[in-house]
């Protein structure tokens, strides 16, 4: 029962976090943006608005859920859902006390992969309230035709395109992959794990923190960074920053924050780090500079929106950062102070920043944003000015992938309309390439002479700077979500999953498909509501160190309670119990039964070269198959991954303790996300 509750709690947290991520993505169909409501003293409240489940396939019964509350206990005159330009009345799902809150819902079965834009509105006859809308409606559920159960990490020799190995992660979505300078060490962050791999594909170790919650939010994967020599690794996830030495899966430092840790980067020598924080509701939206040697925070800068992406110069002296809605700015800082060196105006009307890249000397930075047709969303700045040196309006809506050379002389961006664009430092367009499907993963080598990209067409592509003709392509197992070069540019690694693509429209042949939905999948809505409601008194009480449940809201941390909050505590591990316990020293080597998500992940590549494409640019959807020998070893079925068990922490002393239906939501803005530590 406890495992079942914890599973639903993760879904609850995804719904809470997703509400600010998806409100800013752009539609493929028209919707009406209503005039903003004028607040009155008699307004009711709509507490959160979301869809359950948050993602899945067509022919599933999705439920749009919100909670109506009125301080005087007045019943609603109406509670309605705006969905795809139509209004629908919601039905009461649970509760009867309008002062504490009553849950309402509306069921919907999509028959295609098209986006669904929605928001909620309610009135008590005197005032009105809305939910699931910032400047534009939310988008959900995210619909996929793929199951994303065959994910992997790939390592290639860039010059030849030879596949060195494939590391299977199965159902674990790959959010980030980063390589050391010479590619000898590779850090991989998946849905629930941090893996440290060698150049040969051997697994040094993995880490998962049940108490802290390493699970990524599907739209915002957190971050991972690695020092040039591979000796230091950092991750940002949930509400925490974790720091590791390469020789152990036990964090040497863990710093908890008041809100979600969304992005991270560290200096080449591993001495400094920057972390982007936020929730999207002006609560804890900060960028933080850390001194890793002294284990302390140097400074932070507050903004009215979350810091989506951060990028440090190799010496840790300068920082570039991009914010989401409603700020939507580009920033540049120096390590010594939180005074901005450059702070742009809002760069888009209602679209968030997605990527930031800074040159090694800290003089220039590039930024990409979600956008809208007819507006620029790729920008290039000098740190001496808050106005861009140049900008570009791509032939697509969103630009979620970005790469830049060390000297700032080469900038490349990928768009949701399937295009790649490559520029020099003056903004001159060197070339564009139509990859046929969305380009959500992209990197540029430090010398600017090599470019690699990945698409939702399951393609990995390699280019020279001088040409739009790919020198090789490779068919991956799933959508390519992340790609990165080694510092010397000789190796390129890629990972798969839907991370980063959430709530974009897929320009694919499936977009026009209509499902007949003769069989409808009905998720366990009652179980979800029961888990959300919590029951009277659930989660109340004080923290108990030693209960294997990290409770930062009650003051627990890696310092005050290492047994709960830090791998390597005093937990007693039992090898063979299908539960990996890094705190007890269990690793893939000491206990492969529990700690290896899939036995024999690595598939060594056979000798042979991928097929070289012609001199002409590849046409969209054209398949260029690498020559994978039929003798490539087949993989045994992946073993089940021990799932971390997120717990419901106790509230801080004096914190209001709502019960029943609102127990899961009473401290949404300031607390629940950071309590769970799941981003």
């Amino acid at each position: 029962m406890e495992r079942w509750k914890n599973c639903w709690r993760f879904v609850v947290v995804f719904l809470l976090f997703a509400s600010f991520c998806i409100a800013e993505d752009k539609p493929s169909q028209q919707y009406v943006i209503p005039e903003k409501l004028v607040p009155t003293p008699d307004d009711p409240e709509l507490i959160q608005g979301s869809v359950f489940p948050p993602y899945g396939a067509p022919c599933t019964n999705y439920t749009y859920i919100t909670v109506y509350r009125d301080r005087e206990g007045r019943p609603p005159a109406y509670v309605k859902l705006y969905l795809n330009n139509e209004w629908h009345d919601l039905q009461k799902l649970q509760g009867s006390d309008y002062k504490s809150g009553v849950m309402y819902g509306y069921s919907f079965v999509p028959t295609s992969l098209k986006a669904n834009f929605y928001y909620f509105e309610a009135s008590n006859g005197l005032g009105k309230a809305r939910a699931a809308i910032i400047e534009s409606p939310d988008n959900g559920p995210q619909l996929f035709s793929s199951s994303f159960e065959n994910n992997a990490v790939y390592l290639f020799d860039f010059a030849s395109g030879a596949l060195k190995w494939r590391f299977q992660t199965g159902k674990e979505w790959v959010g980030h992959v980063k390589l050391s300078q010479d590619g000898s060490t590779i850090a991989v962050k998946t849905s629930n794990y941090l893996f440290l791999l060698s150049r040969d594909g051997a697994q040094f170790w993995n880490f998962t923190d049940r108490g802290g919650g390493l699970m990524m939010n599907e739209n915002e994967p957190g971050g991972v960074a690695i020092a040039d020599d591979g000796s230091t690794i950092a991750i940002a996830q949930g509400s925490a920053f974790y720091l590791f030495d390469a020789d152990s899966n036990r964090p040497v430092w863990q710093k908890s924050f008041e809100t979600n840790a969304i992005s991270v980067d560290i200096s080449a020598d591993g001495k400094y780090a920057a972390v982007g924080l936020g929730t999207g509701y002006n609560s804890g939206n900060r960028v933080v500079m850390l001194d890793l040697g002294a284990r302390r925070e140097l400074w932070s800068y507050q903004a009215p929106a979350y810091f989506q992406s951060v990028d440090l110069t190799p010496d840790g002296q300068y920082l570039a950062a991009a914010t989401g809605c409603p700020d939507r700015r580009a920033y540049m800082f120096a390590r010594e102070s939180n005074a901005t060196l450059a702070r742009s105006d809002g760069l888009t009307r209602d679209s968030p920043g997605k990527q930031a890249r800074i040159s090694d000397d800290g003089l220039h930075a590039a930024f990409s944003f979600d956008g809208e047709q007819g507006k620029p969303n790729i920008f290039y700045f000098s740190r001496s000015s808050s106005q861009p040196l140049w900008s570009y309006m791509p032939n697509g809506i969103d630009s979620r992938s970005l790469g830049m050379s060390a000297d700032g002389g080469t900038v490349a961006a990928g768009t949701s309309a399937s295009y790649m664009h490559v520029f020099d430092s003056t903004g001159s367009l060197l070339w564009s390439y139509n990859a046929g499907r969305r380009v959500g993963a992209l990197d540029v080598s430090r010398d600017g002479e090599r470019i690699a990209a990945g698409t939702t067409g399951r393609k990995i592509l390699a280019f020279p700077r001088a040409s739009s003709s790919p020198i090789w392509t490779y068919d991956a197992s799933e959508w390519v979500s992340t790609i990165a070069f080694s510092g010397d540019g000789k190796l390129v690694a890629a990972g798969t999953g839907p991370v980063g693509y959430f709530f974009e429209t897929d320009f694919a042949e499936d977009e026009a498909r209509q499902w007949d939905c003769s069989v409808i999948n009905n998720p366990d809505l009652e179980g979800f509501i029961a888990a959300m409601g919590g029951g009277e008194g659930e989660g109340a009480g004080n923290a108990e160190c030693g209960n294997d449940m990290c409770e930062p809201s009650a003051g627990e941390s890696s310092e005050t309670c290492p047994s709960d909050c830090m791998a390597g505590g005093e937990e007693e591990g039992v090898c063979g119990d299908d539960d990996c316990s890094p705190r007890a020293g269990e690793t893939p080597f000491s206990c492969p039964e529990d700690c290896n998500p899939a036995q024999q992940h690595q598939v060594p590549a056979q000798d042979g070269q991928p097929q070289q494409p012609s001199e002409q640019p590849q046409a969209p959807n054209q398949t260029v198959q690498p020559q994978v020998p039929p003798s490539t070893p087949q993989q045994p079925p992946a073993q089940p991954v021990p799932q971390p068990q997120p717990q419901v922490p106790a509230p801080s002393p004096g914190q209001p303790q709502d019960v029943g239906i609102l127990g899961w939501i009473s401290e949404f803005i300031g607390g629940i996300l950071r309590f769970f530590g799941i981003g």
Side-chain angles (χ1 to χ4, degrees):
M1 174 62 73
E2 188 61 30
R3 286 180 180 268
W4 176 84
K5 286 184 178 179
N6 289 331
C7 189
W8 282 130
R9 284 169 183 154
F10 169 63
V11 177
V12 171
V13 172
F14 171 81
L15 292 174
L16 295 173
F17 188 85
S19 65
F20 82 85
C21 298
I22 63 181
E24 301 148 2
D25 298 317
K26 300 299 112 198
S28 61
Q29 60 195 59
Q30 294 295 319
Y31 54 71
V32 177
I33 299 177
E35 293 185 4
K36 291 185 180 295
L37 296 176
V38 177
T40 76
D42 296 312
D43 289 345
E45 294 178 84
L46 284 182
I47 306 172
Q48 186 54 24
S50 55
V51 57
F52 168 78
Y55 57 88
C59 303
T60 298
N61 193 358
Y62 296 91
T63 303
Y64 294 87
I65 299 172
T66 191
V67 174
Y68 170 91
R69 184 166 67 180
D70 185 277
R71 66 176 63 89
E72 301 298 330
R74 293 169 292 216
Y78 64 82
V79 182
K80 292 180 178 290
L81 172 73
Y82 175 93
L83 177 62
N84 298 334
N85 292 318
E86 294 183 358
W87 285 99
H88 305 274
D89 291 320
L90 274 69
Q91 303 300 313
K92 186 183 295 186
L93 297 179
Q94 183 173 312
S96 58
D97 183 352
Y98 296 111
K99 274 192 174 182
S100 62
V102 175
M103 181 182 291
Y104 286 80
Y106 176 81
S107 295
F108 172 67
V109 178
T111 59
S112 74
L113 296 176
K114 291 183 178 179
N116 298 286
F117 294 89
Y118 71 94
Y119 66 89
F120 301 87
E121 183 174 295
S123 172
N124 57 10
L126 298 173
K128 294 181 179 180
R130 292 190 184 125
I133 183 169
I134 302 177
E135 275 92 358
S136 55
D138 275 8
N139 177 359
Q142 173 67 72
L143 300 170
F144 297 118
S145 56
S146 173
S147 63
F148 296 104
E149 295 182 351
N150 190 29
N151 294 294
V153 179
Y154 303 85
L155 185 70
F156 299 90
D157 176 85
F158 182 85
S160 67
L163 174 66
K164 290 184 169 294
W165 48 258
R166 179 177 68 248
F167 182 87
Q168 293 178 323
T169 62
K171 295 181 181 180
E172 291 284 304
W173 301 348
V174 182
H176 280 288
V177 57
K178 291 295 175 71
L179 293 81
S180 61
Q181 169 72 18
D182 62 0
S184 61
T185 308
I186 302 160
V188 178
K189 187 163 149 321
T190 68
S191 308
N192 300 283
Y193 285 84
L194 169 66
F195 294 100
L196 197 67
L197 309 178
S198 75
R199 189 206 319 256
D200 298 325
Q203 184 181 167
F204 293 129
W205 50 258
N206 69 38
F207 168 80
T208 186
D209 188 352
R210 257 185 326 184
L214 192 60
M215 291 184 290
M216 69 173 66
N217 170 271
E218 286 79 349
N219 191 37
E220 310 297 342
V224 65
I226 188 168
D228 271 6
D229 63 2
S231 63
T232 304
I233 302 96
I235 57 173
Q237 193 59 63
S239 59
F241 168 87
Y242 300 85
L243 184 68
F244 300 84
D245 288 337
D247 58 2
S248 174
N249 71 339
R250 301 182 179 186
V252 296
W253 186 38
Q254 175 184 336
K255 181 174 177 58
S256 297
F257 296 104
E258 71 278 15
T259 188
N260 295 284
I262 300 173
S263 52
V264 67
D265 195 21
I266 62 175
S267 58
D269 58 10
K271 293 183 177 179
Y272 300 96
V275 183
L277 306 172
T279 65
Y281 286 94
N282 203 25
S283 175
N285 298 317
R286 299 189 293 146
V287 60
V288 177
M289 183 69 75
L290 301 175
D291 183 331
L292 301 182
R295 306 285 196 265
R296 67 187 181 93
E297 183 176 312
L298 293 176
W299 55 257
S300 71
Y301 177 89
Q302 180 88 27
Y306 56 97
F307 280 85
Q308 172 68 33
S309 177
V310 296
D311 193 38
L312 274 174
T313 55
D315 60 5
Q317 182 62 43
Y318 296 102
L319 166 68
T323 56
C325 291
D327 196 46
R328 314 181 197 94
R329 298 178 194 267
Y331 290 87
M332 297 178 74
F333 301 89
R335 185 176 69 222
E336 287 76 15
S337 168
N338 67 353
T340 57
L341 300 176
R343 177 180 179 269
S344 74
D345 296 331
L347 294 173
T348 63
R349 180 177 65 90
D350 63 349
S351 302
K354 286 297 179 180
Q355 300 292 337
R357 298 290 183 270
I358 193 168
S359 60
D360 280 9
D361 58 13
L363 291 176
H364 298 96
F367 302 86
S368 69
F369 282 68
D370 278 359
E372 57 185 304
Q373 293 285 0
K375 301 292 184 181
N377 62 345
I378 300 169
F379 304 92
Y380 190 84
F381 280 80
S382 163
R383 76 164 187 246
S384 62
S385 174
S386 292
Q387 297 298 319
L389 295 176
W390 55 264
S391 62
Y392 183 78
M393 180 179 66
N395 50 351
I397 297 173
D398 301 329
S399 180
R400 295 189 176 181
S401 57
L402 182 71
M404 188 168 75
S405 60
D407 64 1
T410 303
V411 178
T415 75
S416 62
S418 80
Y419 278 87
M420 292 174 55
H421 304 290
V422 180
F423 311 87
D424 66 17
S425 60
T426 69
S428 295
L429 180 64
L430 302 180
W431 51 264
S432 295
Y433 176 81
N434 187 343
R437 298 288 286 272
R438 287 180 287 163
V439 183
L442 189 147
D443 198 20
V444 175
S445 62
R446 289 180 55 80
D447 64 7
E449 296 302 317
R450 305 166 181 87
I451 300 167
T455 77
T456 57
R458 305 183 181 191
K459 292 288 186 185
I460 299 169
L461 307 102
F463 298 84
R465 181 183 190 269
S467 173
S468 62
S469 297
I471 57 176
W472 55 266
T473 69
Y474 182 85
D475 287 337
S477 57
E478 298 283 4
W479 294 5
V480 184
S481 55
T482 180
I483 202 160
F485 279 99
S486 59
D488 58 17
K490 295 180 179 179
L491 300 174
V492 63
T496 68
V499 178
Y501 292 110
F502 263 58
F503 305 104
E504 278 189 332
T505 299
D506 190 6
F507 294 86
E509 62 274 11
D510 280 343
E511 188 180 21
R513 176 183 170 187
Q514 290 289 322
W515 275 254
D516 62 19
C517 294
S518 57
V519 177
I520 295 176
N521 174 39
N522 288 292
D524 184 8
L525 178 63
E526 291 185 2
F528 173 70
I529 292 174
M532 278 199 319
E536 186 168 344
E538 182 175 3
N542 296 318
E544 179 183 347
C545 187
N547 64 357
D548 196 31
M549 182 169 66
C550 190
E551 300 168 296
S553 63
E556 286 191 348
S557 68
S558 58
E559 291 82 12
T560 61
C561 186
S563 62
D564 289 353
C565 296
M566 186 172 178
E570 299 177 355
E571 175 182 314
E572 180 180 357
V574 179
C575 189
D577 64 356
D578 196 31
D579 187 5
C580 188
S581 303
R583 298 187 185 90
E586 288 188 350
T587 71
F589 303 104
S590 66
C591 186
E593 301 96 314
D594 293 350
C595 296
N596 221 348
Q599 300 296 324
Q600 299 183 11
H601 279 290
Q602 181 217 353
V603 182
Q606 302 292 317
D607 292 336
Q609 302 297 320
Q611 181 176 331
Q612 306 299 314
S614 66
E615 292 300 316
Q616 297 300 316
Q618 180 183 350
N621 300 319
Q622 176 183 344
T623 300
V624 182
Q625 295 286 351
Q627 296 175 353
V628 180
S631 59
T632 299
Q634 298 298 308
Q635 295 305 295
Q639 301 300 311
V641 180
Q643 298 297 311
Q645 301 300 310
Q647 304 290 335
V648 176
S652 302
Q655 175 186 341
Q657 298 178 16
D658 288 347
V659 298
I661 192 172
L662 292 179
W664 68 284
I665 204 167
S666 60
E667 289 296 315
F668 165 67
I669 294 177
I672 289 183
L673 287 166
R674 67 177 184 270
F675 292 169
F676 279 88
I678 300 172

